[in-house]
Structure formats: structure tokens, C-alpha cells
Amino acid sequence: MKLQDDLKNTDQLLQLTKDFSSEFLSGIDHVAADKAVTLSVEKNIPVQGLGGAAALELFKQRYGSSIAAAVGPRYWGFVTGGVTPASLMGDWITSTIDLNASDKSSAAYYIETETIALLKQLFRLPEDFIGAFVSGATMSNFTGLALGRQWLGKQRGIDIGRDGMAGLQNLTVVSCTPHSSVSKSMAMLGLGRNNIVKLPSLPNRESVNIAALRDYLDAHADQPVIFSASAGTVNTVDFDDLAALAVLKKEYNFWLHIDAAFGGFAACSDRYKHLLEGWEFADSITIDAHKWLNVPYDAAMIFSRHPELHVEVFQNAGAAYLGDPAEQFNYINYIPENSRRQRALPAWFSLMAYGLDGYREIVETNVQLAQELGALLDNDPQFTLLSPVRMCVVCFTLNVPSDIQEEAVNKFLNALNATGVVCMTRTVYGGQPGIRAALVNWRTAQEDVAVAYQTMKEVAAATLNQYSYA
């Protein structure tokens, strides 16, 4: 039987896996940052099975040439960090020991508890915040908004977690520049994505106009709401004025959820921590680990100041084998998932390996490089910055007439990503078609900015030549 053969040869299989991984990572600078692939998908499971070694060979033949360098230094598409060497160690061990992070009969619970404590120090969050790992920023936003929904119901005398939402109306989420996962979470929570109220921003910003929020709260004084704040928008890394929101919370009755998926890492740096002043008064906070923490997918954290609401929403009521939530703490009663991978361990390894100074250096280096790229583009007549470079995202467009801008931007971006040198994503900012480059990878260095910019200049010139604007 193939399984028994693999058991006898486990060491050899692990060595083959290590060899593949080492070869990939050692050549990461020469792997395309983006690849457009079309593959035929095999839908028939083998009857006898191939065994692990043959399966690896088949994987390399079928998919090896189609793997992009998403962990490489010039993947600037989604706001995705790379994988630090120590977090890779933690991730391999996580798969090896395969612990259920919700099982208190092993070290898993204590690993997560310790890692959350380390993260609260990294983010300078108060000790009384509860935290837990979830699969990503979407699930973290979902959890924070679920807590907010429970709070909304209790303001009206209804326990939504217990009795549902029947009869409740006007359950509103207010925001300025919410991430798409906020409206997605609202749809999943029964709040309805159309029930998000978008308030105006400050001029040429993605930060909420506090005066407009105050006016809204005054006009809805009898209606408790959730305000979903941004601490790092995806286009420009703009921050709502969290200190002003903290002041408003003392005057008005609203739930403050902060989406700080990657902006929360401003706390790592004395240069940028002021952007988060006041976030300690939030009711719930989203932070994504597989962004600037540079650990593997999928890992994020939810932090909140309301452990009792967690239990009201997420408790496993009536499951005798899981224990009584009122008698003993267990993460399964505080987040959506019961069975969970030990997501904390890669983060624990990386935090222990590189410490506060290591993450400060990652954040400050990425910001410096983004600002250098922004300066290059700002001084290049082929490009126009759509926003100042506030932290790690450069938002820009081609300097062409508006009637051809969308077509030109699409052509430029497709051609740029096709070079494999760098990967960026399309966006729209201020009504203009644009491009965003997100630098959150620990590998990214000055030479990466130089080679990317040189490629951008060449592709832009070729694109503009098509319109006689070179």
C-alpha cells in the first residue's frame, strides 16, 4: 500500500519537499512576480495512488512553471507580505504536529494565548483587550461586526445571538472608505450590504469628515449604530482620525470597529504610531497577520474589549463534549470557527526570531522604499501621483488625457505585469483609473525599486507611443 510505503520513507519525502522549497526560494528573484496562466484541470482521482514522491513530481510537471513569486520582493499587488524564514519554520511545524488550536488538552491553547500577548505588545494595545486568531481580515471584520450587531440588539433589549433579528430594523453600519470585506460581512450577518451609510471624506482624502459624522450622530441620536473606521485604506493608506473618534465615543452611543488590517503595523514605528492614537478606545479591531507581519496565509487577529459579547455570539451552547463556556475559557466560544489550524505558531516564531526591532525595520524600510518610488513617479512626466505616499502604497496613473486614460492604464498594467519583473493591481481613486503598488514584503530592497521603476518607464513609453504621447 502506497501509504505504508510513504510512512517508511517519510524522511526521504520531507527531504524532497525541503529541496523543492529551497530551490524555489533561492531563485525567487528570478521567478516572475505575476503570471497569466491557463491550465487544464485533471478531474479523475487515481485508483491506486502514486505515492508522495511521484505526486511531487507530478505537481512540479503540472504546476511548477505556473507558480508566481507572490512571496517575492516585487509582488506589489494585493497587500500581502512574504514569509519570513522563521514563520516558515513555524508553519512547517504547525503542519507536522497538526494541533487543533481550540483543543485545551495540548500546547496549542497556550501557544495562541502567548502569541496574542506578544502581538498586543507589538501593537501597543491595552492588556484588557481579548484577542484570537481567525483566517483573515475578512473573517476578522466579520467577527468585529458580529459583536457590533450583538451590541446593537442589546441597545434595543434583544439578544440577537439567542433570539435572532426578527423585528429589528435600521441596523446600520456607518463608514467613509470601507474595505469591500465590510459590506461582504454585512451580507453574511444579515445586516445587508445596502445598509452601509457612506459619509463624506475630507477633501482629497479617504479619511472621514468628523464634522459629517457628528452631524449624522446628532441626527440619529435615538439609533445606535456601528462606525467602521479605516486605519490604512487600500488605495492610499489613509487613516480616519482615531483620536477624534475616541472623543466622539464619549459623547455618542456607537460601536467603534477599526479595520487596521495592515495599517495597525504603524504601531511598530515611533514615526507612525501617532496615526493610531485613540485606537485603544475601539470596541473591536481587525489586524491581518499575512500582510505586514509576513507570515503565511491564512492568519489574522480580532481584538476587542467585550469578551462577554464574544460568548453571547459564538458560544457552543449545548455541546457537552466541548465544556461549559461559562466555566472555562476556550477560544472556540469567542470566534466563528471551532476546529482551527494552529495559526499562531508561525507568528510566534517570527515574533521571537525578529522582535520589536525587526518589525520596526520592516515597516520603516517598506515605507521609505514606497516614498522613493513615489518620488520617482512624481518627477517623471509619464506618470501622475493620485495621492501622497503616506505609508506603503503608491497610488498613481498615466499622465494622459482623460478620454484615453482607462484604456491606457489597462494596457500599461497588463504589459507591466506580463514582464514578470513586478506585479501591481488596478484601482480607481478620485474617479480616475489608477494603479497601486503595495510594498509590505520583508525582502523588498532599494534595487527592487530601481529595477521596477526602470521597467515601468520602458512599458509606459511603449504604451504612450501607441497614442503619440511619448
Side-chain angles (χ1 to χ4, degrees):
M1 184 179 180
K2 294 291 185 181
L3 182 57
Q4 294 303 317
D5 291 340
D6 279 357
L7 175 61
K8 295 174 184 177
N9 296 301
T10 297
D11 287 349
Q12 179 187 355
L13 296 176
L14 291 176
Q15 184 61 49
L16 290 171
T17 305
K18 173 187 174 297
D19 292 344
F20 170 82
S21 302
S22 297
E23 182 180 352
F24 176 78
L25 292 175
S26 65
I28 196 72
D29 287 341
H30 307 292
V31 179
D34 183 62
K35 294 184 178 183
V37 299
T38 302
L39 301 173
S40 59
V41 178
E42 177 61 55
K43 298 181 180 179
N44 296 316
I45 186 171
V47 176
Q48 298 298 323
L50 306 174
L56 176 59
E57 285 303 314
L58 180 61
F59 167 77
K60 290 191 288 186
Q61 293 170 18
R62 185 169 293 170
Y63 300 114
S65 62
S66 302
I67 300 172
V71 296
R74 293 187 299 278
Y75 179 83
W76 301 344
F78 297 131
V79 188
T80 305
V83 178
T84 65
S87 70
L88 179 58
M89 295 166 63
D91 200 60
W92 280 12
I93 293 173
T94 295
S95 294
T96 299
I97 60 180
D98 197 24
L99 297 179
N100 181 349
S102 299
D103 185 355
K104 294 192 69 174
S105 64
S106 73
Y109 164 81
Y110 301 96
I111 291 169
E112 181 160 4
T113 300
E114 182 173 319
T115 307
I116 289 294
L118 299 176
L119 289 165
K120 284 195 289 188
Q121 291 181 31
L122 182 72
F123 298 128
R124 311 180 200 225
L125 287 173
E127 184 58 35
D128 61 351
F129 269 74
I130 185 175
F133 276 82
V134 292
S135 61
T138 298
M139 190 52 65
S140 183
N141 279 332
F142 174 89
T143 305
L145 294 175
L147 300 176
R149 184 189 66 172
Q150 182 73 0
W151 174 85
L152 285 178
K154 295 190 78 169
Q155 304 307 297
R156 303 179 183 185
I158 295 177
D159 184 337
I160 292 176
R162 183 189 63 198
D163 300 324
M165 297 172 60
L168 280 174
Q169 295 180 346
N170 299 321
L171 298 182
T172 305
V173 175
V174 182
S175 190
C176 176
T177 314
H179 188 268
S180 60
S181 62
V182 170
S183 59
K184 182 175 184 176
S185 297
M186 291 174 66
M188 292 190 290
L189 288 164
L191 296 171
R193 59 172 55 93
N194 286 341
N195 288 324
I196 189 166
V197 176
K198 294 187 179 180
L199 297 181
S201 64
L202 297 172
N204 302 314
R205 294 279 303 277
E206 292 184 304
S207 176
V208 68
N209 185 319
I210 295 295
L213 175 57
R214 181 183 288 277
D215 289 344
Y216 182 90
L217 294 172
D218 278 332
H220 299 81
D222 60 341
Q223 180 183 324
V225 300
I226 299 170
F227 183 76
S228 180
S230 295
T233 57
V234 294
N235 276 338
T236 68
V237 201
D238 210 345
F239 286 67
D240 287 331
D241 188 339
L242 304 183
L245 291 173
V247 171
L248 281 182
K249 271 187 67 66
K250 298 176 181 179
E251 302 177 42
Y252 298 93
N253 190 31
F254 66 95
W255 179 276
L256 176 57
H257 174 71
I258 299 178
D259 182 351
F262 65 100
F265 289 86
C268 299
S269 169
D270 287 340
R271 298 180 191 174
Y272 304 108
K273 67 180 181 180
H274 67 277
L275 296 167
L276 297 169
E277 182 181 346
W279 80 331
E280 65 271 19
F281 296 102
D283 295 291
S284 54
I285 298 174
T286 283
I287 305 179
D288 206 340
H290 59 244
K291 289 184 168 55
W292 233 337
L293 198 65
N294 279 248
V295 304
Y297 276 110
D298 53 21
M301 294 78 64
I302 178 69
F303 294 96
S304 96
R305 294 191 293 112
H306 302 277
E308 74 287 351
L309 294 181
H310 283 261
V311 176
E312 289 177 11
V313 176
F314 298 115
Q315 66 176 282
N316 286 270
Y321 74 102
L322 295 177
D324 187 343
E327 293 181 356
Q328 192 176 34
F329 178 92
N330 192 312
Y331 286 109
I332 61 175
N333 297 310
Y334 289 78
I335 53 174
E337 300 155 291
N338 282 355
S339 298
R340 298 183 300 140
R341 193 171 189 267
Q342 181 69 82
R343 298 185 179 105
L345 192 54
W348 183 91
F349 262 82
S350 205
L351 291 167
M352 286 297 185
Y354 311 119
L356 295 172
D357 283 347
Y359 277 98
R360 174 191 52 76
E361 183 176 351
I362 290 172
V363 168
E364 292 181 354
T365 298
N366 285 157
V367 174
Q368 177 188 337
L369 294 174
Q371 291 172 342
E372 290 179 8
L373 177 62
L376 290 169
L377 298 179
D378 198 31
N379 290 313
D380 190 321
Q382 298 180 108
F383 301 101
T384 298
L385 281 183
L386 292 175
S387 168
V389 180
R390 294 188 174 87
M391 287 194 76
C392 57
V393 174
V394 184
C395 189
F396 66 98
T397 191
L398 290 182
N399 186 16
V400 296
S402 59
D403 61 326
I404 65 168
Q405 192 172 55
E406 183 168 4
E407 179 182 322
V409 163
N410 287 339
K411 286 185 175 181
F412 167 79
L413 185 58
N414 290 338
L416 180 67
N417 288 345
T419 67
V421 172
V422 66
C423 176
M424 303 180 191
T425 50
R426 190 184 185 283
T427 192
V428 175
Y429 179 73
Q432 293 192 68
I435 301 153
R436 50 188 287 279
L439 284 67
V440 291
N441 190 298
W442 67 274
R443 293 176 179 269
T444 306
Q446 212 154 28
E447 52 265 32
D448 294 302
V449 172
V451 71
Y453 173 60
Q454 181 62 36
T455 306
M456 293 166 70
K457 286 200 305 179
E458 294 170 0
V459 173
T463 303
L464 298 180
N465 268 331
Q466 301 176 44
Y467 300 96
S468 301
Y469 285 107

